[in-house]
Amino acid sequence: MTIINKRNLFFLISVWLLSTLLPAQNVTISTPHTQLLLSAPNGGTPEQLYYGSRTSDADIRSICETARGRNAYPVYGMGYPCETALSVRHADGNLTLQMAVIGVKETRLTEENATLTVIELKDKVYPFFVNICYKAWQDADVIETWTEIRHEEKKPVQLQQFASAYLPVRRGNVWLAHLSGAWANEGQLCQEALQPGMKVIKNTDGVRNSQSAHAEVMFSLDGKPQENTGRVIGAALCYSGNYKLRIDTQEDDWHHFLAGINEENSWYNLKKEEVFRTPALALTYSDEGMSGCSRKFHQWARLHKLANGNTPRKILLNSWEGVYFDINEQGMDQMMGDIAAMGGELFVMDDGWFGDKYPRKNDSYALGDWTVDKTKLPGGLQSLLDNARKHGIRFGIWLEPEMANTKSELYEKHPEWIIKAPEREVVCARGGTQVVLDLSNPQVQDFIVQTADELMNSYPDIDYIKWDANMSIITQGSQYLTKDNQSHLNIEYHRGFENVCQRIRTSHPQLTMQACASGGGRVNYGILPYFDEFWTSDNTDALQRIYIQWGTSYFFPAIGMGAHISASPNHQTSRSVPLKFRIDVAMSGRLGMEIQPKDMTEEEKALCRNAITEYKTIRPIVQFGDIYRLLSPYDKQGAASLMYVSPEKDKAVFYWWKTEHFCNQHLPRVKMAGLAPNKYYKVHELNRIDTEPLKFEGKSFSGAYLNDNGLEIPSTHRVEPSKQNEYASRVLYLEEVTPSSSDNRIAQCPPLRVLCLGNSITRHEYKADIEWFSEWGMAASKEENDYCHQLEKMLSQNRPGTVVTPLNIAYWERNLNCSIDSLIGAHATDKDVIVVRLGENVQDKEAFKSGILQLVEYCKRKANKIVITGCFWKDDEKERAIINAAHMHGLTYIPIDWIDRLYDSRPKVGDTLYDIHGKPYTVTKDFIIAHPDDEGMKKIAEAIYRVL
């Protein structure tokens, strides 16, 4: 939610050159597979006519002629007796509104691959205006809707209720699905049939808004919710603050759904010419059940609502449950060494590292004093970063920037910066000393941004920040806001928070940030555009995590879901769960560890090392694939199961966990879903501990068979008697194969002819003046180690005779209007696959947007399959152009800039390379070390290979 000064810009859409005035009658808003139809007659009331699957033009005409419409944004006071979206008090005391359409505008948002439709309303008497805005994404089936409210009255108008949107849902056998919970028990699935009366879901925490309830819901229109069948509407309010969702069911034929900011004790005094923008409500629709709805939310999130949503997440170890506040240099180095040895990629030092005058011995001290405690860490942060580099991993750190302790230098210097009611004493929470900083105050915002900037500018190798928030607003009042605007606190706090996030993200776009708030207290689409992931819950107990992660998955993708392997007995539940089960649960999200490795046995470390290796194989499927929930733990059938399927449906990962333990229990056989019926899949168990393989290990089955029947999953493990326990879990990796006609062996596939279009990373000619004495991809040490040759070797394992041809077309990057055919035509003839791996040398980013589209169009005429990667050196504008080209042509986009962020993926000055004669020479030029080394080349090859 933002404020825009009218003198600078009234409505963004009102001055865009591409805007076109539409006939103010029927309005059609479309995504690839959904549609919203409205009526907007000039001088009349805007009405919603239809929301559901995309329909034909003929159906649209008939619907518009016959459908009973409902007011698209009902307002209070004039002929509308139901719950309203907007109510105000004019300066003269009048409480009524009567809004009429004065125009409709549509804009094509080319950069975002979306359309924006705005229905403009004006009150019939007062100079009071509302714009109803609809943003329809063209690469995801989501429509975002919000309102922009302004007036030209002489004195402020008090906004008393200001919902973002209204949606009528036709009555019938409609069920509501939503999430509830508490600390360490977040994301609990609730399902209920909608009944007459009022259903309200709301939050009043002030800081966190997803611990006890969530601002996301699903409506199942065909009775009790089903996972993979049935019509479902999904709605998610994109807001980080207090919200209220209302479902009003009275005597008519509709459930009236309204969503927006919780207006309780937050009435807003709107000044003349000020624009109040409500947070967006994201809507989607699916006829493939709740999992179908989830898949649409997940795709939209990865593309548009999750920071760096196309970048694979690293496997990390977090220090919290390993050492808590007992931070010291030697211990951190030991943990870094252990996670590196197990194959992890990142270490995060949690709470306890800071404080000078007030050392952070526990949670009562030092919040706000973001200076290193030199008693604990005499070498400072640089020493830790050096150790991380030594171990070949990245380093992250914990902050709680919105909070302070009264036992801190910050509080002593700026007591006026905390949230405190006028004329009242300070009210503290956690540790008896914690207070919340007043983010409505621009000075506080500047302080938080400065804290992050100083940290990152001083230590640019920091890769990750865990951003925590462990306190509610428990005293209502601001020392910064004026007395007549005290009710603005809960709104202004989150405006300030968004301002802070925007500024930090602008300065540090590649920094990975996790949203933590006493666990899963900040899982919402208001903040996730600025955060890469969220901490799902402080509860790391694997059994309870199945329920928590299951509920969370309804609206949020696995790539953002922090899921960690922790100790046994668990620190929250004291439950003892075997390591295999803990691993299998954590591997269904963004895998990490929350444990002290030195307390693990060598056998346990080996099991984790193997799991991390195997997770790297399935990471693209889990983090970028489509979810299919199969057997819900909430159905109490003794087990839970879900799976992820790659967009190409060539790979899948199936999870099965036993959730209840009884003698002679009968567990259901679980059907799979989402597999291509006409494809065959080879089955391989991951994280196997059994002394014998499963009967179907290495066998292949058709997608049709697996979708209809599934596989018989044993309810116990075949292990040594001393290791037998009540728990059982399985992770199965399914990979497309071509079956032979005789038995279940897999036949060899025909060879591929692959052309790799690239620049110096693909192939660089011999050039002595830059000390490049080779003729292969820079900066591989030998020809066989560049990504083209490594890719050829990988493909040849199952496709003998495959040939991968590298072609440097850096000339095209610098001359985007050149003839593509004359440049690559002779090389592209008779190719099965063309890999487009370009962009680093492009200077004209505007021309690149159309240039990359033209190149892909040309390649599609030459080869059956096109694969496109992002840039090795991250550039957001180029990346958006590449992603757009991929989505426009239905291609798989492969991000690779994350490889450049790993220490072991570039050569260093002093490394040894080999010239074309096989003689060694030493790297001395900075130009060469900007390119991937053998390991970086391998990661690029693996990323492409996984798609092919």
Side-chain angles (χ1 to χ4, degrees), residues 851-869:
I852 189 67
L853 281 169
Q854 293 168 7
L855 178 63
V856 171
E857 287 171 2
Y858 179 88
C859 291
K860 287 193 74 173
R861 295 196 295 269
K862 292 291 185 177
N864 295 326
K865 187 174 181 66
I866 311 299
V867 174
I868 188 167
T869 82

Side-chain angles (χ1 to χ4, degrees), residues 539-557:
N539 187 344
T540 57
D541 173 72
L543 182 59
Q544 195 162 352
R545 266 299 186 111
I546 292 173
Y547 294 83
I548 294 170
Q549 292 173 195
W550 188 276
T552 304
S553 76
Y554 278 89
F555 303 97
F556 302 95

